[in-house]
Amino acid sequence: MKKIEWKITIIPKVLQLFLNFCLIILALIMSFLLIVEIIDFIKIIVSTGKRDFKLFLANILIFFLYFEFITMIVKYFKEDYHFPLRYFLYIGITAMVRLIIVDHEHPTDTLIYSLVILILIVSYFIINITPLERPKRSFFFNKKEEQ
């Protein structure tokens, strides 16, 4: 019986180590891509030809997407293997802003992207005003359970 309990407790630990290893590799890849984006910034700034500010702004937002993903991985390890939901919202907002800047040819798509940003901001506001811990049951709920 002790062998079965030992095997059951080792499986989550092995899977957690595998997940941590994969996230570290992903963070390294994203760090490399972040450096590539910095090199692209320098190329855009140094180029003497026509400057495309939309391309530059799109690259800045891609840079922030990589940055936010790397930050989220760091937070995952700092917060005891937990992804904070607010980082997903940051990434979603940044991605939608990038879509509006890069692909704004169709007004209906731009409106939909704007509504998605609004929904994400409202979600972020709701997350910030709700307590992190579950509230204790109120007096009325406890009274009904006792009856």
Side-chain angles (χ1 to χ4, degrees), residues 20 45 67 71 89-90 96 101 106 110-111 123 146:
N20 292 347
I45 291 172
F67 184 79
T71 305
L89 295 175
Y90 297 154
M96 289 294 108
I101 290 170
H106 304 288
T110 305
L111 178 65
S123 301
E146 292 174 1

Side-chain angles (χ1 to χ4, degrees), residues 70-83:
I70 293 169
T71 305
M72 188 172 62
I73 292 171
V74 169
K75 278 293 197 185
Y76 171 80
F77 288 111
K78 283 186 175 180
E79 293 194 10
D80 202 22
Y81 311 119
H82 171 71
F83 283 116

Side-chain angles (χ1 to χ4, degrees), residues 120-137:
L120 290 172
I121 290 172
V122 168
S123 301
Y124 181 74
F125 179 73
I126 290 171
I127 287 173
N128 279 340
I129 62 171
T130 56
L132 294 177
E133 296 177 9
R134 292 274 180 217
K136 294 183 180 181
R137 293 180 168 245

Side-chain angles (χ1 to χ4, degrees), residues 54 97-110 113:
K54 288 181 190 176
V97 168
R98 182 186 174 277
L99 274 175
I100 288 174
I101 290 170
V102 173
D103 183 29
H104 57 273
E105 295 173 8
H106 304 288
T108 55
D109 290 345
T110 305
Y113 299 152

Side-chain angles (χ1 to χ4, degrees), residues 28-138:
L28 292 173
I29 291 169
M30 290 183 144
S31 298
F32 173 75
L33 292 173
L34 197 66
I35 292 169
V36 169
E37 285 301 319
I38 291 173
I39 293 169
D40 284 346
F41 288 150
I42 294 169
K43 286 179 183 176
I44 291 172
I45 291 172
V46 173
S47 69
T48 56
K50 182 182 173 188
R51 297 190 179 181
D52 188 6
F53 291 107
K54 288 181 190 176
L55 176 67
F56 185 70
L57 194 54
N59 283 354
I60 289 174
L61 291 171
I62 289 173
F63 177 85
F64 277 109
L65 284 172
Y66 287 134
F67 184 79
E68 287 170 355
F69 273 113
I70 293 169
T71 305
M72 188 172 62
I73 292 171
V74 169
K75 278 293 197 185
Y76 171 80
F77 288 111
K78 283 186 175 180
E79 293 194 10
D80 202 22
Y81 311 119
H82 171 71
F83 283 116
L85 185 59
R86 66 177 186 255
Y87 283 94
F88 288 109
L89 295 175
Y90 297 154
I91 291 168
I93 292 168
T94 306
M96 289 294 108
V97 168
R98 182 186 174 277
L99 274 175
I100 288 174
I101 290 170
V102 173
D103 183 29
H104 57 273
E105 295 173 8
H106 304 288
T108 55
D109 290 345
T110 305
L111 178 65
I112 291 170
Y113 299 152
S114 301
L115 291 175
V116 169
I117 291 171
L118 178 65
I119 291 169
L120 290 172
I121 290 172
V122 168
S123 301
Y124 181 74
F125 179 73
I126 290 171
I127 287 173
N128 279 340
I129 62 171
T130 56
L132 294 177
E133 296 177 9
R134 292 274 180 217
K136 294 183 180 181
R137 293 180 168 245
S138 70

